[in-house]
Amino acid sequence: MSKVDQRAQRASNEWRTPGFGHGAGLVAGREVSTKLRSKAFLITTGLLMLAVLASVILSSVLSGTASGPTKVAVVGAASSVVTEPSGLEAVPADDLAAAEQLLRDEEVDAIVAPTDAVEGAGLTAASPGSPDASAAGLDVTVIGFDQAPGSVASALSIQPATAILEPAAADPLLAYFVAFGFGIVFFFAALTFGGTIAASVVEEKQTRIVEILLSTVSARQLLTGKVLGNSVLAFGQIIAIAALAILGLAVTGQRILLGGLGPSVLWFVAFFIVGFIMLAALFAATAATVSRSEDVGGVTTPVTMLVMIPYFLIIFFNDNPTVLTIMSYVPFSAPVGMPVRVFLEQAEWWEPILSLVILAATAALAVLVGERVYRNSLLRTGARVPFLQALRG
């Protein structure tokens, strides 16, 4: 064989047997490019983004809707900082005790009082005021009942300190919407991209394309590429949703909510990354056991239920600390349960870390089992391959 023929043969062999990373990257790139060319995917993503933006704007509009000026009880010299252009209506109170009674009776929305009177009553400021305000002799504190009176504080001509009479862990309605948001995003993304992986696996088996693919890449490379490609798309969608929600909250002035959501959103992204890889491997493995697209729904039902159960649990039991604690340590519900507990400040600092370690270990086991089932079932056509038989090989 001539040197030219030897080089051609060597190049041909290198092309047919790419390295693991290169082969998985080729498959992942194919998955991403195919999905990005899909009009259905682009339209669905656009509608989801619009829904997120609309919900942020709607929450801002509803929170800003009022039938008239906000009533605040003013004590002593603090009345000088409550002016008509601020949109606040001053209700004079003889002393701080009288003002507190007005607030408890819901006759006013907040109290504006001199800071020395507030400190004398034993109330601790939830947030400090502006140093310039103190220097100007206008040292006042705005007091809310169970939530920081951010809208009243921002309406004043100075930046006062804020305090709370009876602190609440979180607004129940806000907690519900946060739990619902985490639940629906995880549910939607996992089912959408998990279903895409399952459909792709069966389509390749049904059309015999998988036999051509396996002549170039291994089954492990093919599975890894599918999981990575769809994971990139899912992560990109989640990050885009988070960025849009944060931008919307900042533009609409909901900075208090933005500050409270920050840590829980970061934990949600971390848990979602690991949890989705686990579910993607299971979707691909179960789909590989059948050869017809009509059978995909039946074999992927158990995995679909693992996604649906946390969604319904978080909807109906978001105010139950016991259920949330259990959910935060069960791998299939931890991506929703633990971020909600972080938002509600029910979790110790070490709990999200421990839960994430448990989820990562479970994901690694799921990937190993899924890869074995996928590899042993991929070239079997005809009747459904029993799961245990595929696992034994």
Side-chain angles (χ1 to χ4, degrees):
M1 182 181 292
S2 65
K3 292 183 178 180
V4 174
D5 293 336
Q6 291 176 353
R7 285 196 297 268
Q9 182 66 32
R10 190 182 305 113
S12 177
N13 291 337
E14 290 175 355
W15 167 251
R16 286 199 299 267
T17 57
F20 182 83
H22 180 57
L26 289 174
V27 177
R30 173 175 171 269
E31 293 287 324
V32 172
S33 61
T34 301
K35 200 67 175 176
L36 291 179
R37 289 196 300 267
S38 169
K39 291 183 179 180
F41 171 75
L42 296 177
I43 293 174
T44 303
T45 301
L47 291 176
L48 181 60
M49 302 289 281
L50 287 176
V52 171
L53 185 59
S55 64
V56 172
I57 295 175
L58 182 62
S59 65
S60 175
V61 171
L62 292 177
S63 63
T65 301
S67 58
T70 302
K71 293 184 178 182
V72 295
V74 294
V75 180
S79 59
S80 62
V81 302
V82 181
T83 58
E84 291 185 4
S86 65
L88 304 176
E89 179 182 343
V91 178
D94 295 334
D95 51 27
L96 186 58
E100 285 187 16
Q101 191 59 46
L102 290 174
L103 182 59
R104 294 181 185 276
D105 293 339
E106 299 183 355
E107 296 184 18
V108 296
D109 297 310
I111 301 171
V112 182
T115 298
D116 54 358
V118 174
E119 293 176 348
L123 292 176
T124 303
S127 63
S130 168
D132 296 336
S134 299
L138 301 173
D139 193 4
V140 298
T141 297
V142 180
I143 305 172
F145 182 68
D146 59 357
Q147 299 290 328
S151 59
V152 174
S154 61
L156 299 178
S157 56
I158 62 173
Q159 181 182 341
T162 59
I164 303 172
L165 281 182
E166 298 181 5
D171 181 359
L173 182 61
L174 176 60
Y176 175 81
F177 280 116
V178 170
F180 178 79
F182 286 146
I184 194 65
V185 169
F186 181 74
F187 174 79
F188 180 84
L191 285 190
T192 298
F193 293 100
T196 299
I197 294 174
S200 174
V201 170
V202 176
E203 180 183 0
E204 290 171 355
K205 285 189 64 175
Q206 195 170 16
T207 58
R208 302 283 186 169
I209 293 177
V210 67
E211 298 175 10
I212 301 175
L213 293 174
L214 290 178
S215 66
T216 305
V217 296
S218 66
R220 182 172 296 177
Q221 288 173 308
L222 188 57
L223 175 62
T224 303
K226 286 185 177 295
V227 172
L228 288 179
N230 285 276
S231 296
V232 168
L233 290 169
F235 304 158
Q237 193 175 79
I238 294 300
I239 292 174
I241 290 173
L244 184 62
I246 291 172
L247 179 62
L249 290 172
V251 171
T252 55
Q254 302 180 76
R255 291 179 174 80
I256 295 177
L257 176 58
L258 178 60
L261 272 177
S264 57
V265 169
L266 293 177
W267 277 113
F268 176 73
V269 172
F271 275 88
F272 179 87
I273 291 174
V274 181
F276 181 81
I277 291 175
M278 173 183 64
L279 293 172
L282 294 178
F283 270 110
T286 53
T289 61
V290 296
S291 304
R292 300 189 309 162
S293 57
E294 295 86 352
D295 300 329
V296 174
V299 295
T300 58
T301 296
V303 186
T304 302
M305 294 300 296
L306 293 176
V307 179
M308 295 180 65
I309 290 175
Y311 170 71
F312 287 110
L313 285 176
I314 203 67
I315 294 299
F316 295 111
F317 298 101
N318 63 86
D319 58 347
N320 189 316
T322 303
V323 175
L324 285 179
T325 301
I326 296 173
M327 286 181 61
S328 64
Y329 286 103
V330 176
F332 297 101
S333 58
V336 178
M338 186 55 77
V340 172
R341 289 188 65 212
V342 171
F343 173 75
L344 297 176
E345 299 181 352
Q346 296 178 359
E348 298 292 338
W349 66 268
W350 52 266
E351 289 190 80
I353 300 174
L354 176 60
S355 178
L356 189 59
V357 170
I358 295 174
L359 177 60
T362 307
L365 179 62
V367 169
L368 291 175
V369 172
E371 187 272 335
R372 183 175 179 83
V373 172
Y374 179 84
R375 185 179 70 247
N376 293 334
S377 306
L378 203 54
L379 293 177
R380 297 189 183 186
T381 58
R384 173 184 173 183
V385 181
F387 185 83
L388 292 179
Q389 183 180 345
L391 188 60
R392 290 195 300 266

